[in-house]
Amino acid sequence: MNSKCPLYINGQFIETAEKQNIINPSTGKVIAEASLASDKEVDLALASAREAFDRGPWPQFSLIERKNFIFRIAQGILDNAGMLAELEMQNTGKPIKETTFMDIPSCAKTFEFIANNFIDYLSQEEVNVSSDAKGKIIREPMGVVVLIVPWNYPLLMACWKMASALAAGNTVILKPSSLTPLSALELAKIIHAAGLPPGVVNVINGSGVKIGQALCEDKRADMISFTGSSEIGKQILTYASKNVKKMIMELGGKSASLIFNDVDLDVAVNSSLTSIFLNQGQMCTAMSRIFVQEAIYDSFLDSFVQKAKRIKLGLADNPETQMGPLISDAQRKKVIAYIDKAKAEGAKVICGGKIPENPELKNGYFFEPTVLVDVGVHSHIFKEEVFGPVVLIHKFSGSDEAASLANSVDFGLAACIWSQDLYLAQELAGNLNAGTVWINTYGAFYNELPYGGFKQSGFGKELGRQGFLEYSRVKSVIIDQSAENKPLVNYWYGF
Ligand code: NAD
C-alpha cells in the first residue's frame, strides 16, 4: 500500500491528520491512504498561489523559460508513464490498456502541444484605432486559478487545465476528486522535480462538500475551471458569484448518436459500442442515446446487443479486459436506481441490467453493459445523465426528427452522426445543440480543437487556441499618437 499521499502546497509535501482510504474499484480493497485537506490547507494553498503569482517569478519568466518548464513536465509524465498508468488503473478501475495507451500519453501530449504553441497564441495585437491613437490588445494571465476535476479521467482533466493555465502564466490550485487523487498527487512530484517555483502549483485532495465552498468563494482566487456534474457546477456558480470570478464549466451530458440507413452497419455498431461502453460508460461524452433510422433499426439493434453481450468484463489489471468496474458502490447503486426507474416508466432491458455473476468480480463494482428499448421521450432516463454502461436505443424516420430528438434534453455536450451523405451530415451538425459533433467517428479529442458544451453542459472551452485563451484576460492599451501630443479629450476643458 502506498501510504505516502501528501498534499503539495508551496513546494512542500504535507501530510495531514485526516486521511481517506483510497479503494481499488476492481477489488474493493484499500490501496492507499491519502491526506485530506481541511479549511486550513485551503487557506495555505490560496495564500501560496497568491504569493507566487503576485511576487513570485513565474508570471515574470520569459515565454521561453515557461516553455522549458512545460516541456519538462511533459517529459516527467513520459518518464513515469508506466507507473502513472498502473496507478490510474488501480484507482479508477479503467482497463490497463486504456490508461497505458490513452490517458497517460494524452496527458504528456497536451503539455507538449501547449509548450509548442502557446507563444503564438499569446502574440500581441496592435490596432490603428484612429490617426491620433494606436491600440494594443494585451493578453495577461488571470492570476490564481482553481482547477477542480472529476474522477472519470482524473489525470487527463487535470493536465488539460494545468497545461494551459501554467503556460499562460497563472499559478494554480488543483483539487482532484477525493475518490481518485493518486495520479494528481504523483503529478505534484513530477512538477516539483521539474523545478517550478514554490506555490506555482498546489495540489490539495479533499472532499468537495467540505472544502469546495471555501476554495471557490475566496477573493484570492481569480478564476475557477471546473469539470464535473451539472448539479455541482450549479453550486459552484453560486459560490463564485460572491466575488465574481471568471469560470470555465465543463459539465454533464446526455449525448445522442444519429445513425442513418446508408451506414456501414458493422462500423456503426462497433463504434457505437465504444461510444457508450468505453470507461464503463463513465464519460461525459458517452453516447447514451442512440437513434437509428427505421430501415436498419432491427438489424442494428440485433447486432449491437449480440456484441454488447460479448464484451469482456474483468479486473482492470488484466490486459484482456474490455470493461472494468464502476468507480464505486454508490455509483453502481445510482445506475441500478436509474434502470429500476426506467423499467417502472415502461422501458425494457434487452441486454445486461445486472451485476455480473462471475465470482472473480464479486468484490468489485462491476455492472453489465445494458441496453434499453421502449424508452419514453419524457422518462427520466431519456433526459438525465446516468454515468454508467447504460444506453437506450430508439428509432427515427428523418433527419428533422433525429435533430429534434437529439436536442430535446437540457444538455448540449456532444453528438455523433453516422451517414455516408456528408452533405446531410454537415448540415445536420449545424442544427445540433452540441459543442462537439463527430461525423462517422467517435471520441477523438485533438489538442488543436476547442472542447466544451452548450446549455447545461456548461460554457467555456478546454484545448485548442480558444481553450488556452480562457486562462488569460485581455487588456486594451491606448497610446496617443497625435502630432502635438495633445490628446483630443483635453480640448473638452479648453486647456
Ligand atoms: P462531481 O460534480 O460530483 O465532482 C467533480 C469535482 O467537484 C470533484 O473534485 C468533487 O470533489 C468536487 N466537488 C464536489 N462538490 C463540490 C462543491 N460543493 N464545491 C466544490 N467542488 C465540489 O462529478 P464526478 O462525479 O466527480 O464526475 C462525474 C461528472 O463529471 C459527470 O456529470 C460527467 O459528465 C462530468 N464530466 C464532464 C466532463 C466535461 O468535459 N464536460 C468531463 C468529465 C466529466
Side-chain angles (χ1 to χ4, degrees):
M1 184 173 90
N2 176 5
S3 58
K4 291 265 175 212
C5 301
L7 313 181
Y8 182 60
I9 303 174
N10 202 24
Q12 310 276 320
F13 292 94
I14 298 177
E15 293 259 5
T16 58
E18 202 187 346
K19 309 267 195 230
Q20 171 161 347
N21 283 340
I22 305 299
I23 308 290
N24 177 342
S26 282
T27 61
K29 289 206 173 115
V30 176
I31 48 169
E33 203 180 48
S35 284
L36 280 177
S38 64
D39 283 347
K40 178 180 155 212
E41 286 79 28
V42 169
D43 182 58
L44 274 177
L46 284 160
S48 130
R50 190 75 258 165
E51 175 72 15
F53 185 78
D54 292 342
R55 278 170 282 280
W58 185 252
Q60 313 306 330
F61 279 150
S62 72
L63 296 183
I64 298 292
E65 280 171 310
R66 282 217 295 273
K67 177 176 172 158
N68 290 336
F69 280 111
I70 306 293
F71 267 129
R72 257 184 259 159
I73 299 173
Q75 191 56 50
I77 294 172
L78 289 176
D79 293 344
N80 291 282
M83 176 274 288
L84 289 169
E86 171 83 16
L87 202 61
E88 201 77 319
M89 173 275 290
Q90 283 196 23
N91 198 173
T92 61
K94 284 168 193 280
I96 185 73
K97 268 197 291 203
E98 281 176 38
T99 59
T100 304
F101 298 112
M102 294 165 84
D103 295 47
I104 306 304
S106 303
C107 293
K109 269 197 194 131
T110 294
F111 273 102
E112 256 171 37
F113 178 83
I114 289 293
N116 280 323
N117 290 284
F118 80 96
I119 295 180
D120 278 354
Y121 292 165
L122 284 174
S123 64
Q124 189 170 291
E125 281 176 64
E126 291 202 358
V127 187
N128 285 320
V129 285
S130 81
S131 53
D132 283 347
K134 185 169 76 175
K136 277 189 178 178
I137 302 170
I138 294 174
R139 287 262 165 201
E140 298 179 341
M142 288 296 306
V144 172
V145 188
V146 172
L147 315 174
I148 302 180
V149 297
W151 47 256
N152 66 333
Y153 285 90
L155 193 63
L156 188 59
M157 294 297 102
C159 290
W160 278 11
K161 292 179 188 300
M162 202 185 278
S164 289
L166 290 180
N170 301 285
T171 60
V172 304
I173 301 168
L174 168 65
K175 196 206 88 57
S177 163
S178 53
L179 290 175
T180 55
L182 299 187
S183 53
L185 295 169
E186 284 302 322
L187 180 64
K189 294 180 192 162
I190 289 169
I191 284 166
H192 189 73
L196 274 76
V200 173
V201 173
N202 304 273
V203 182
I204 54 168
N205 171 43
S207 145
V209 176
K210 285 199 186 147
I211 62 168
Q213 187 164 0
L215 195 55
C216 298
E217 275 185 352
D218 199 286
K219 272 193 183 161
R220 289 169 289 182
D222 300 290
M223 172 175 172
I224 298 167
S225 175
F226 173 75
T227 299
S229 61
S230 300
E231 186 197 343
I232 301 295
K234 287 175 193 173
Q235 286 180 31
I236 290 181
L237 281 168
T238 64
Y239 304 154
S241 69
K242 189 173 169 198
N243 285 305
V244 186
K245 294 181 198 305
K246 163 90 190 267
M247 310 200 69
I248 300 179
M249 289 268 124
E250 301 293 351
L251 308 178
K254 190 75 192 178
S255 298
S257 193
L258 311 175
I259 299 175
F260 285 81
N261 287 337
D262 62 355
V263 290
D264 177 322
L265 196 67
D266 270 347
V267 173
V269 168
N270 296 343
S271 310
S272 299
L273 287 158
T274 308
S275 76
I276 176 65
F277 297 131
L278 187 74
N279 203 21
Q280 297 71 251
Q282 302 167 134
M283 295 177 291
C284 47
T285 54
M287 294 293 141
S288 52
R289 297 180 304 148
I290 299 181
F291 299 102
V292 188
Q293 206 167 11
E294 281 160 338
I296 59 161
Y297 178 82
D298 289 340
S299 38
F300 179 94
L301 187 64
D302 185 51
S303 171
F304 188 94
V305 168
Q306 294 315 315
K307 288 182 172 171
K309 286 182 176 162
R310 296 212 301 266
I311 291 176
K312 196 172 174 324
L313 267 71
L315 301 175
D317 61 358
N318 181 346
E320 303 296 312
T321 291
Q322 293 172 325
M323 225 176 95
L326 303 191
I327 190 69
S328 64
D329 192 37
Q331 187 64 16
R332 185 166 66 176
K333 287 197 172 105
K334 182 181 154 202
V335 169
I336 293 170
Y338 261 116
I339 294 171
D340 287 346
K341 204 189 277 182
K343 285 197 282 192
E345 289 180 309
K348 258 200 242 123
V349 176
I350 57 164
C351 173
K354 54 184 176 34
I355 295 171
E357 280 154 17
N358 180 352
E360 197 194 10
L361 309 182
K362 75 175 188 320
N363 295 323
Y365 313 125
F366 293 86
F367 198 74
E368 290 181 350
T370 299
V371 181
L372 302 177
V373 293
D374 297 343
V375 174
V377 296
H378 299 297
S379 61
H380 285 87
I381 206 151
F382 191 92
K383 295 185 284 189
E384 293 170 19
E385 184 182 47
V386 175
F387 222 57
V390 182
V391 64
L392 62 93
I393 304 188
H394 202 90
K395 215 179 267 183
F396 72 90
S397 51
S399 65
D400 286 349
E401 191 196 354
S404 146
L405 284 164
N407 288 339
S408 66
V409 295
D410 288 335
F411 297 104
L413 191 57
C416 277
I417 300 169
W418 295 89
S419 171
Q420 290 185 21
D421 182 344
L422 287 185
Y423 178 78
L424 171 139
Q426 289 178 71
E427 194 178 57
L428 183 54
N431 293 329
L432 294 180
N433 258 322
T436 296
V437 181
W438 285 287
I439 296 178
N440 296 328
T441 181
Y442 170 74
F445 292 92
Y446 296 95
N447 286 306
E448 292 81 353
L449 289 183
Y451 165 75
F454 302 153
K455 295 166 79 181
Q456 292 193 24
S457 294
F459 52 83
K461 298 289 174 193
E462 302 280 5
L463 303 181
R465 182 170 186 273
Q466 291 81 352
F468 173 80
L469 293 178
E470 297 275 5
Y471 293 89
S472 62
R473 62 185 192 182
V474 175
K475 183 177 279 174
S476 292
V477 176
I478 299 121
I479 307 155
D480 176 64
Q481 308 252 292
S482 55
E484 295 165 339
N485 201 15
K486 281 192 180 167
L488 193 62
V489 285
N490 289 0
Y491 291 107
W492 184 254
Y493 298 106
F495 302 141

